[in-house]
Coordinates of all heavy atoms in Angstrom, one line a residue:
N1399 N -26.4 180.4 170.7 CA -27.6 180.2 169.9 C -27.2 180.0 168.4 O -26.3 180.8 167.9 CB -28.5 181.5 169.9 CG -29.2 181.5 171.2 OD1 -29.7 180.5 171.7 ND2 -29.3 182.7 171.8
K1419 N -27.8 165.2 170.2 CA -26.6 165.1 170.9 C -26.2 166.3 171.7 O -25.0 166.5 172.1 CB -25.4 164.7 170.0 CG -25.7 163.3 169.3 CD -24.5 162.7 168.6 CE -23.8 161.8 169.5 NZ -22.7 161.1 168.8
V1471 N -25.5 178.9 160.2 CA -25.0 177.8 159.4 C -25.7 177.9 158.0 O -27.0 177.8 158.0 CB -25.3 176.4 160.0 CG1 -24.7 175.3 159.2 CG2 -24.8 176.4 161.5
T1484 N -24.9 185.1 153.3 CA -23.6 184.9 154.0 C -22.9 186.3 154.2 O -22.5 186.6 155.4 CB -22.6 184.0 153.2 OG1 -23.3 182.7 153.0 CG2 -21.3 183.7 153.9
N1490 N -23.3 191.4 159.8 CA -24.1 191.6 161.1 C -23.3 191.1 162.3 O -23.9 190.9 163.4 CB -25.4 190.8 161.0 CG -26.5 191.7 160.3 OD1 -26.2 192.9 160.0 ND2 -27.7 191.1 160.1
E1519 N -15.7 184.6 162.4 CA -15.1 183.4 161.8 C -15.9 182.9 160.6 O -17.2 183.2 160.6 CB -15.2 182.2 162.8 CG -14.6 182.4 164.2 CD -13.2 182.0 164.2 OE1 -12.6 181.6 163.2 OE2 -12.5 182.2 165.3
G1527 N -15.1 166.8 150.9 CA -15.0 165.4 151.4 C -15.8 165.0 152.5 O -15.5 164.1 153.3
S1539 N -3.2 170.3 161.2 CA -2.3 169.1 161.5 C -1.1 169.1 160.7 O 0.0 168.7 161.1 CB -3.1 167.8 161.2 OG -4.4 167.9 161.7
A1577 N -27.5 157.3 142.5 CA -26.8 158.3 143.3 C -27.7 159.4 143.7 O -27.6 160.0 144.8 CB -25.6 158.8 142.5
E1579 N -31.0 159.1 144.0 CA -31.9 158.6 145.1 C -31.3 158.5 146.4 O -31.9 158.8 147.4 CB -32.3 157.1 144.7 CG -33.4 157.1 143.6 CD -33.5 155.7 143.0 OE1 -33.1 154.7 143.6 OE2 -34.0 155.6 141.8
F1582 N -26.5 161.7 147.2 CA -25.2 162.2 147.0 C -25.1 163.3 146.0 O -24.3 164.2 146.1 CB -24.2 161.1 146.5 CG -24.3 159.8 147.1 CD1 -24.2 158.6 146.3 CD2 -24.4 159.6 148.5 CE1 -24.3 157.3 146.9 CE2 -24.5 158.3 149.0 CZ -24.5 157.2 148.3
S1596 N -15.9 168.5 141.9 CA -14.5 168.2 142.3 C -13.6 169.4 142.2 O -12.7 169.6 143.0 CB -13.9 167.0 141.5 OG -14.7 165.8 141.7
K1599 N -14.0 171.8 145.0 CA -13.3 171.3 146.2 C -11.8 171.4 146.1 O -11.1 171.8 147.0 CB -13.7 169.8 146.5 CG -15.2 169.7 146.9 CD -15.7 168.3 146.8 CE -17.2 168.2 147.1 NZ -17.8 166.9 146.8
I1617 N -8.4 175.9 137.0 CA -8.4 174.4 137.1 C -8.9 173.8 135.8 O -10.0 174.1 135.3 CB -9.2 173.9 138.3 CG1 -8.6 174.5 139.6 CG2 -9.3 172.4 138.4 CD1 -9.4 174.1 140.9
F1632 N -10.8 147.5 129.4 CA -9.4 147.5 128.9 C -8.5 147.9 130.1 O -7.4 147.4 130.3 CB -9.2 148.5 127.8 CG -9.4 147.9 126.4 CD1 -10.4 148.5 125.6 CD2 -8.8 146.8 126.0 CE1 -10.6 147.9 124.3 CE2 -9.1 146.2 124.8 CZ -10.0 146.8 123.9
G1637 N -4.3 146.3 134.3 CA -4.0 146.4 135.7 C -4.3 147.8 136.3 O -3.7 148.2 137.3
V1639 N -7.5 150.9 137.3 CA -8.8 151.3 137.6 C -9.0 152.7 137.2 O -8.1 153.5 137.3 CB -9.0 151.1 139.2 CG1 -10.4 151.6 139.6 CG2 -8.8 149.7 139.6
A1644 N -8.9 164.5 141.4 CA -8.6 165.9 141.6 C -7.1 165.9 141.9 O -6.8 165.4 143.0 CB -9.5 166.6 142.6
Y1670 N -8.7 151.5 145.6 CA -9.6 150.7 146.4 C -10.8 151.5 147.0 O -11.6 151.0 147.7 CB -8.8 150.0 147.6 CG -7.8 149.0 147.1 CD1 -6.5 149.4 147.0 CD2 -8.2 147.8 146.6 CE1 -5.6 148.5 146.5 CE2 -7.3 146.9 146.1 CZ -6.0 147.2 146.1 OH -5.1 146.4 145.5
S1674 N -19.5 155.7 147.2 CA -19.6 157.1 147.3 C -18.5 157.6 148.3 O -18.5 158.8 148.7 CB -21.0 157.5 147.9 OG -21.1 157.0 149.2
A1677 N -11.5 160.0 149.2 CA -10.2 159.9 149.9 C -9.3 160.9 149.3 O -9.5 161.3 148.1 CB -9.7 158.5 149.6
R1722 N -8.4 182.6 165.7 CA -7.1 182.0 166.2 C -6.3 181.4 165.1 O -5.1 181.5 165.0 CB -7.4 181.0 167.3 CG -6.2 180.6 168.1 CD -6.7 179.6 169.2 NE -7.2 178.4 168.7 CZ -6.5 177.3 168.4 NH1 -5.2 177.4 168.5 NH2 -7.0 176.2 167.9
I1723 N -7.1 180.6 164.2 CA -6.4 180.0 163.1 C -6.8 180.7 161.9 O -8.0 180.9 161.6 CB -6.9 178.5 163.0 CG1 -6.4 177.8 164.3 CG2 -6.3 177.8 161.8 CD1 -7.1 176.5 164.6
N1732 N -0.3 187.0 153.5 CA 0.6 186.1 152.8 C -0.1 185.2 151.8 O 0.5 184.3 151.2 CB 1.4 185.2 153.8 CG 2.3 186.0 154.7 OD1 2.8 187.0 154.3 ND2 2.5 185.5 155.9
K1776 N 4.4 152.3 125.1 CA 4.7 151.3 126.0 C 4.1 150.0 125.7 O 4.6 148.9 125.7 CB 4.3 151.8 127.4 CG 4.7 150.9 128.5 CD 4.3 151.6 129.9 CE 4.5 150.6 131.0 NZ 3.9 151.2 132.2
V1778 N 1.0 148.2 122.9 CA 0.0 148.3 121.8 C -0.8 147.1 121.8 O -0.3 146.0 122.0 CB 0.6 148.4 120.4 CG1 -0.4 148.6 119.3 CG2 1.7 149.5 120.3
V1792 N -5.6 149.8 121.0 CA -5.4 150.4 122.3 C -3.8 150.7 122.4 O -3.1 149.8 122.2 CB -5.9 149.6 123.5 CG1 -5.4 150.1 124.8 CG2 -7.4 149.5 123.4
L1797 N 5.8 158.4 129.6 CA 5.5 159.8 129.9 C 5.7 160.7 128.7 O 6.6 160.5 127.9 CB 6.5 160.3 131.0 CG 6.2 160.1 132.5 CD1 7.2 160.8 133.3 CD2 4.8 160.6 132.8
K1799 N 4.5 164.8 126.9 CA 3.9 166.2 127.2 C 2.5 166.3 126.5 O 2.4 165.9 125.4 CB 4.9 167.2 126.6 CG 4.5 168.6 127.1 CD 5.6 169.6 126.8 CE 5.2 170.9 127.3 NZ 6.0 172.0 126.8

Side-chain angles (χ1 to χ4, degrees):
N1399 288 318
K1419 299 196 90 171
V1471 186
T1484 301
N1490 276 356
E1519 305 272 359
S1539 316
E1579 280 162 24
F1582 317 135
S1596 294
K1599 294 165 181 167
I1617 298 179
F1632 276 124
V1639 175
Y1670 296 101
S1674 66
R1722 188 178 68 84
I1723 298 163
N1732 295 332
K1776 186 174 170 190
V1778 182
V1792 172
L1797 273 186
K1799 192 168 181 194

